[in-house]
Amino acid sequence: ENLTVQHAKTHTASFDPKRRVLTIPIWEKTTPELYDLLVGHEVGHAIDTPRDGWHGAVHDRGANYKGFLNVVEDARIEKRQKRRFPGLRRSFVNGFNELMKRDFFGVGDRDFDQLTFIDRLNLYTKSGYTLPISFLEKEQDFVRRVQLLETWDDVLKLTEEIWDYSKEEQFQTTLPQDNFSFDNQEDRKSTRLN
């Protein structure tokens, strides 16, 4: 995939689509499953997330929109990675559980159902659709459609609908901005964890 892989003291994993650099954080006590999750996820971006499409969509709407786009794109690329590399399925589940134990997403012991829709969607998709999270009927439709995503164009269209649906929540993200997901970063100034 023409990638450079580096390890650094960073908060999270990231992929720079312009320079094709995949950065893995140096954390204490990282299990092989968590390492596989981080690498597998970022390689998914390297393969499937278009550099130009990502950059344009992010800069047209701003950082908050980027978080929404990233949540939806993460669900798509993780599904595709699990299909490509079935052995990653267990690593994704175990790695996610490890992230939850570390409180990586900043939810602590909070009631998931009290989080904003985009935060609930992010946690639900990252858990492999297993966390006990409630969704309204309209939100359930979005979740179903996220599960069916295949193309970047599908991601853009659905993100736009979720953005419009979440108008009042767009600037009230409950979770810390850096913990939306793992970071697809073209440049740190305008991107977040993927």
Side-chain angles (χ1 to χ4, degrees):
E1 294 301 322
N2 188 27
L3 298 177
T4 298
V5 178
Q6 66 183 12
H7 293 79
K9 291 192 178 216
T10 63
H11 174 67
T12 187
S14 63
F15 177 65
D16 179 334
K18 185 175 183 180
R19 295 182 9 234
R20 308 283 302 161
V21 175
L22 189 155
T23 302
I24 301 299
I26 298 171
W27 290 338
E28 288 186 31
K29 300 177 185 172
T30 301
T31 64
E33 288 89 358
L34 179 55
Y35 187 85
D36 287 350
L37 177 149
L38 296 171
V39 172
H41 178 94
E42 297 306 332
V43 168
H45 281 297
I47 295 170
D48 288 319
T49 303
R51 176 184 159 228
D52 294 333
W54 175 260
H55 185 72
V58 168
H59 287 286
D60 288 347
R61 293 288 194 147
N64 287 328
Y65 183 79
K66 185 188 77 172
F68 280 63
L69 180 64
N70 195 56
V71 167
V72 177
E73 174 64 348
D74 280 358
R76 179 181 80 101
I77 62 108
E78 287 190 0
K79 175 181 76 172
R80 293 173 63 85
Q81 283 296 85
K82 291 174 196 174
R83 210 165 41 205
R84 272 186 199 104
F85 307 107
L88 280 178
R89 291 178 188 278
R90 185 167 41 131
S91 293
F92 273 54
V93 169
N94 293 340
F96 174 79
N97 290 335
E98 185 175 333
L99 289 173
M100 290 298 285
K101 286 178 189 168
R102 292 174 178 232
D103 197 24
F104 178 81
F105 298 98
V107 293
D109 58 358
R110 292 164 63 187
D111 179 356
F112 296 147
D113 292 339
Q114 299 304 310
L115 301 174
T116 63
F117 171 60
I118 196 65
D119 290 334
R120 286 181 285 126
L121 178 64
N122 185 48
L123 290 171
Y124 193 57
T125 59
K126 291 257 177 270
S127 75
Y129 304 93
T130 60
L131 280 180
I133 297 176
S134 298
F135 295 99
L136 300 173
E137 189 174 329
K138 176 65 175 174
E139 294 170 344
Q140 290 173 11
D141 181 59
F142 286 135
V143 170
R144 181 189 58 76
R145 291 171 60 201
V146 164
Q147 291 175 305
L148 299 173
L149 290 170
E150 289 295 332
T151 70
W152 174 250
D153 288 339
D154 294 340
V155 168
L156 291 175
K157 182 177 186 244
L158 186 55
T159 301
E160 194 69 32
E161 291 180 46
I162 292 171
W163 176 260
D164 289 342
Y165 169 78
S166 302
K167 285 272 190 221
E168 293 183 20
E169 293 182 339
Q170 288 171 10
F171 304 101
Q172 302 172 18
T173 306
T174 312
L175 303 182
Q177 292 291 322
D178 283 347
N179 292 350
F180 244 112
S181 57
F182 318 113
D183 201 23
N184 179 349
Q185 295 201 355
E186 181 162 300
D187 55 18
R188 191 50 116 164
K189 298 172 265 210
S190 63
T191 52
R192 72 164 41 140
L193 175 95
N194 122 358

